[in-house]
Amino acid sequence: MKIGTMNDLTRFLIFAVVILAMPVWLDPLGGNYPDLLQKFAIYGIFAIGFNILFGLTGYLSFGHAAFLGVGSYAAVWSFKLFTMNAIPALMFGVLFAGALALIIGFLSLRRSGIYFSILTLAFAQMSYNLAYSVLTPITNGETGLQLAQSDPRVIDNMFVEASAGLPSTNLFGLTMSGYPGFYFCAALLILGFFISMRIFRSPFGLMLKGIKSNQNRMMYTGLNTRPYMLTAFVISGMYAGLAGSLLAITDPLAGAERMQWTASGEVVLMTILGGVGTLVGPMIGAGLIKYFENIFSAFNDTVLAEMFSYLPDALVELVVPVVGLFVGSGWHLTLGLLFVVVVIFLPGGIVEGVDKLVKFIRNREKNVGGKVTPQDQPGE
Amino acid sequence: MNDLVLHLDNIQKNFGGLSALSDVNLQVEEGTTHAIIGPNGAGKSTLLNVCIGRLKPDAGHVTFYGEELTGRKPHEIAQMGVARVFQTPEIFPEMSLLENVMLPAFSKRDGAFSMNAHKLLSRQGDIRDEAEHILEDVGLQEQMMTEAGSLSRGDKRRLELGMCLILKPRLLLLDEPTAGMSRHDTNSTIDLLKKIKSRGMTKVIIEHDMHVVFSLADKVSVLARGQIIAGGTPEEVREDPKVKEAYLGGAH
Ligand SMILES: Nc1ncnc2c1ncn2[C@@H]1O[C@H](COP(=O)(O)OP(=O)(O)OP(=O)(O)O)[C@@H](O)[C@H]1O
Ligand SMILES: [Mg+2]
């Protein structure tokens, strides 16, 4: 079966199984930590939502981290004011991110192309700066927003006496850290993937693709493009808000650095790396970046020196600092290089690369076998 | 005056110092095919741009079935029932022909923006059937699943015509619909346009090919340097000395 022609139900089921089985198949790859697994799922949601805007309409937002940050703040406030339950937290996260996306989208969508990107970037940086300055009472500035023993938590306190120590986030009693936290995020990721798939296949999605392909044509056949664009923008902002609230649910604190432009850039990289406008590409991109970030940033000079200890001492002194540039805190350099390579050699991202590879292997098999079975005909 | 579909009243359009249209008056009656001819740069495409809201006239009014079009947004004008085939085909090059023809139907249905999630997210069997039917009309049904960008220039025009026909417009504006087509394709396009005419659709057609003009037009207006210099039936216009001059001599 070719990836491009796979039936949607199969695609969805494979996606769900692969995600739920991550603890199993990531174990030999050294990726089976609950914290990391949660990150895969959360950033997958972020990237899949981003792709609804960027992949379908072609409008590149450089400010989606603002929605991620707002989602986190809203979730932590929900913990502080109402309850440690995850459900209200994520509802608040999605709602506030959606409201902010409505405002930023309304203003930014008056322009297209690079001007749109710059407007979104400017609004996100404004949000970031506000979080550090005037909004300190809400965001707790540089320290970040944290839980405190003295928080009201009105709903929780109606039912149980506050215990000593900080309570933990939960889903009706099930603690939202570790593997349960991962499975909660994974379930939402699968739901998010399903919704995105439905949007991609719907008239709404087709109209968004039409706007990307030829906005004039859409306009002169009667489409009022702006409200549809705004809807796509708000939906993708809500995905970001969901991701942000999950970050807080699995680790209940929120800081302004989550809104910084580097975080906005990261989701752009994830989407492009995996494949813009493809269904699974953004998930693959998010997974790869978070995986390599985890592996590469763990290296430090001592680890490296050990790794290269089989080399003569003089060489070790030469190699370690050079390699050291690319790992640890310098891992962004590796990411940058990887990105450059993908954009130059595989402009369609990894998904396109895999498609090409499958085609190549298939053609070679055909040439070797010399026979073509009907199932192998193009168009199958 | 109900049978007056399109009325251009003293339209003026300048580009900087250039007067692209000056005092243009035009009346198109229901069910007729009105041809506009004229040398290159005469202002023919500009005239259509004014009708569909791509350009705002500097003076004058455009009305459509008595309703004012000037100042309206392009998508509103399209929603009212005005469709246009452009001089350089405006299609969706990365999509299949089928999607190309289905999309305008969605624009027409939901263009004014509706948040009816059921309608927006459901599969669209009826619109698909209709699109296939239209592709058959324009003779492209066999290539239904090919990418539109790979079509020849002539086929792209026919596709765009199909994209306009699915809108069932009350007025169809065609900007050189046969340019770049072979004789054979031109003739089949003429047949198709005749068929559309027999269904009563009103059309304005810009055309250089006199064979096309004489086979289709009920009325002809001649535009030169932004002014209508002659008008009438095709025969009248052919005999008009001013027309011959505009096409042959020209230097004033
Ligand atoms: N957007 C624009 N800005 C400036 N000048 C324009 C613009 N559009 C058209 N013109 C000028 O207005 C004049 C009329 O152009 P128009 O495209 O309407 O001619 P046309 O009759 O359609 O010619 P053709 O037969 O070549 O298509 C030309 O001189 C053209 O250069
Ligand atoms: Mg023209």
Side-chain angles (χ1 to χ4, degrees), chain A residues 217 220, chain B residues 5-8 11-13 15 20-22 24-28 33-38 41-57 61-64 69-75 77-78 81-88 90 157 160-161 164 171-178 202-208 221 223 226 228:
Chain A
R217 200 4 120 203
Y220 294 117
Chain B
V5 178
L6 185 69
H7 185 187
L8 275 70
I11 294 292
Q12 178 83 38
K13 181 73 205 177
F15 293 117
L21 295 173
S22 53
V24 170
N25 286 289
L26 191 76
Q27 306 199 342
V28 180
T33 299
H34 197 120
I36 296 174
I37 61 171
K44 306 181 295 295
S45 299
T46 304
L47 190 143
L48 294 193
N49 285 339
V50 166
C51 295
I52 61 163
R54 184 176 243 187
L55 293 174
K56 277 207 180 62
H61 295 274
V62 185
T63 51
F64 175 62
L69 288 191
T70 14
R72 279 187 203 259
K73 300 226 169 69
H75 68 90
I77 293 175
V82 182
R84 172 175 180 185
V85 174
F86 286 83
Q87 192 165 358
T88 38
E90 294 269 4
R157 278 182 194 292
E160 199 187 7
L161 182 57
C164 288
L171 172 65
L172 180 59
L173 310 172
L174 301 128
D175 201 341
E176 305 191 16
T178 64
T202 314
K203 293 196 295 293
V204 172
I205 177 168
I206 290 175
E207 192 50 77
H208 280 300
S221 295
L223 197 63
I228 304 246

Side-chain angles (χ1 to χ4, degrees), chain A residues 25-245:
Chain A
W25 60 266
L26 275 172
D27 199 44
L29 297 173
N32 184 15
Y33 310 106
D35 282 5
L36 185 60
L37 291 171
Q38 289 162 3
K39 286 235 167 61
F40 289 151
I42 292 171
Y43 283 92
I45 293 175
F46 191 18
I48 284 176
F50 184 75
N51 190 43
I52 291 177
L53 179 71
F54 184 34
L56 284 176
T57 69
Y59 277 57
L60 175 56
S61 160
F62 253 106
H64 260 49
F67 311 128
L68 190 77
V70 165
S72 289
Y73 283 124
V76 175
W77 272 111
S78 164
F79 297 142
K80 286 168 86 70
L81 294 178
F82 307 118
T83 166
M84 294 303 290
N85 192 314
I87 300 289
L90 67 84
M91 288 198 312
F92 279 115
V94 170
L95 219 68
F96 276 88
L100 184 66
L102 190 68
I103 298 168
I104 293 184
F106 179 79
L107 296 170
S108 306
L109 285 169
R110 314 194 142 251
R111 292 285 172 274
S112 60
I114 186 77
Y115 299 102
F116 167 81
S117 303
I118 288 178
L119 279 173
T120 52
L121 176 63
F123 282 120
Q125 282 303 95
M126 269 166 60
S127 315
Y128 170 68
N129 282 317
L130 285 176
Y132 266 136
S133 53
V134 254
L135 294 179
T136 318
I138 301 176
T139 61
N140 203 18
E142 261 176 79
T143 331
L145 191 62
Q146 287 164 345
L147 301 180
Q149 189 57 40
S150 57
D151 288 336
R153 276 190 292 282
V154 284
I155 298 179
D156 283 356
N157 288 343
M158 277 193 297
F159 298 105
V160 280
E161 278 298 296
S163 54
L166 287 176
S168 55
T169 56
N170 64 74
L171 182 69
F172 306 108
L174 185 66
T175 305
M176 282 291 100
S177 55
Y179 286 103
F182 161 67
Y183 281 109
F184 183 60
C185 297
L188 288 166
L189 168 64
I190 290 166
L191 177 71
F193 179 77
F194 178 77
I195 294 174
S196 136
M197 197 163 82
R198 282 304 299 270
I199 290 177
F200 267 65
R201 300 288 183 248
S202 70
F204 173 56
L206 196 62
M207 284 193 283
L208 294 178
K209 283 187 211 164
I211 293 173
K212 178 182 183 177
S213 172
N214 189 342
Q215 188 156 6
N216 269 336
R217 200 4 120 203
M218 292 309 284
M219 229 154 62
Y220 294 117
T221 48
L223 189 81
N224 188 4
T225 51
R226 211 178 281 159
Y228 282 101
M229 298 287 305
L230 187 57
T231 308
F233 193 91
V234 170
I235 292 175
S236 79
M238 288 163 92
Y239 269 76
L242 175 64
S245 65

Side-chain angles (χ1 to χ4, degrees), chain B residues 32-142:
Chain B
T32 62
T33 299
H34 197 120
I36 296 174
I37 61 171
N40 286 107
K44 306 181 295 295
S45 299
T46 304
L47 190 143
L48 294 193
N49 285 339
V50 166
C51 295
I52 61 163
R54 184 176 243 187
L55 293 174
K56 277 207 180 62
D58 296 319
H61 295 274
V62 185
T63 51
F64 175 62
Y65 281 103
E67 277 188 81
E68 185 77 42
L69 288 191
T70 14
R72 279 187 203 259
K73 300 226 169 69
H75 68 90
E76 294 171 338
I77 293 175
Q79 285 286 338
M80 289 168 77
V82 182
R84 172 175 180 185
V85 174
F86 286 83
Q87 192 165 358
T88 38
E90 294 269 4
I91 55 171
F92 305 109
E94 313 83 8
M95 299 192 197
S96 72
L97 302 199
L98 188 63
E99 285 172 321
N100 265 269
V101 180
M102 283 170 74
L103 257 179
F106 294 140
S107 299
K108 182 188 160 97
R109 194 188 64 183
D110 304 318
F113 191 62
S114 81
M115 265 288 86
N116 181 338
H118 175 69
K119 221 168 55 174
L120 280 175
L121 294 179
S122 62
R123 283 162 224 280
Q124 300 299 325
D126 45 339
I127 286 185
R128 192 195 152 111
D129 291 346
E130 205 180 330
E132 284 183 23
H133 197 77
I134 296 270
L135 280 170
E136 211 174 295
D137 269 355
V138 295
L140 292 169
Q141 75 273 31
E142 264 133 53

Side-chain angles (χ1 to χ4, degrees), chain A residues 302-319:
Chain A
T302 356
V303 179
L304 283 178
E306 234 165 71
M307 270 177 67
F308 291 107
S309 56
Y310 59 89
L311 292 174
D313 277 357
L315 256 179
V316 171
E317 260 161 52
L318 201 72
V319 167

